[in-house]
Amino acid sequence: MGDPADLVALSGGHTVGRAHCGFFADRMRRQDDTFSRKLAVNCSLEPNRVQNLDVITPDAFDNAYYMALTNKQGVFTSDMALIKDRTTARIVRRFAQDKAAFFAQFAKSMAKLSQVPRSDRNVGEIRRSCFRTNGQSLVAAGAASA
Ligand code: HEM
C-alpha cells in the first residue's frame, strides 16, 4: 500500500527535468498566484519553451524542489496539491528542511514502487516510448503523441 510519504517522495522526482507548457496549462489558466502568472507570461512569449520543474536547482537531485513548493513554486497542479493538503504539506516541509530524510524516503518508495503487483498486462511495463505501451503501434497511439 502506498502512503502519503510515498506520494510526496516520488513526486520529488521533479527535482530534475523540464516540462512543456501544455502540461501545466491548467495552472496558468487560473493565474491565482505570482508564480502561475509568471509561467503564463513565459509560455505566451515562447510557447515551445521547457520549464524547469525545480526552479531553485533545476539539474541537481536534491531537496530544493520541496523548498520551492513551500514558496508556492510548484509547476504542476499535482506538485501544488502536495503543499495545499495538510497531511502532505507536513511531509513537504520536513523534506525541505532535511535532505537526508528525503533521500531515505525516496529510496524506500522507489523500491516499493518496483514491487507494485502486475494486475493486468499494462501495469508494470517500463515503456520504451512515452504515451504508448510497448505492444502498441505508433499509428494506433497516434503518431503525434508518440
Ligand atoms: C503525481 C504524479 C506525476 C505527474 C502528474 C507527473 C507529470 C509530469 C509531466 C506532465 C511532466 C512533463 C512532461 C513533458 O513536458 O514532456 C513530467 C516530467 C518529469 N517527471 Fe513527472 N509526474 C509525476 C510523477 C513523477 C515521478 C514519480 C517521477 C520520478 C520518480 C517523475 C519524474 C519526472 C522527471 C524526471 C521529469 C522531467 C523529464 C524531462 O525533463 O525530460 N515524475 N512529469
Side-chain angles (χ1 to χ4, degrees), residues 22 44 74 88 111-112 139:
S44 69
T88 51
K112 201 163 156 183
V139 177

Side-chain angles (χ1 to χ4, degrees), residues 7 10-11 13-14 16-20 23 53 76 78 106 110 113:
L7 177 65
L10 290 173
S11 298
H14 292 164
V16 291
R18 282 156 268 281
H20 300 84
F23 286 108
L53 295 176
F76 299 132
S78 66
F106 186 79
M110 284 296 287
L113 192 61

Side-chain angles (χ1 to χ4, degrees), residues 13-46:
H14 292 164
T15 179
V16 291
R18 282 156 268 281
H20 300 84
C21 293
F23 286 108
F24 49 91
D26 54 339
R27 177 130 164 68
M28 292 191 287
R29 215 173 296 120
R30 282 193 300 278
Q31 301 211 16
D32 53 358
D33 60 28
T34 313
F35 187 63
S36 62
R37 284 190 285 276
K38 189 172 150 193
L39 292 175
V41 169
N42 290 345
C43 285
S44 69
L45 292 174
E46 196 193 336

Side-chain angles (χ1 to χ4, degrees), residues 102-124:
F102 164 52
F103 283 0
Q105 185 63 52
F106 186 79
K108 218 164 109 183
S109 298
M110 284 296 287
K112 201 163 156 183
L113 192 61
S114 75
Q115 302 297 319
V116 169
R118 300 171 181 212
S119 57
D120 72 42
R121 70 185 180 87
N122 283 343
V123 178

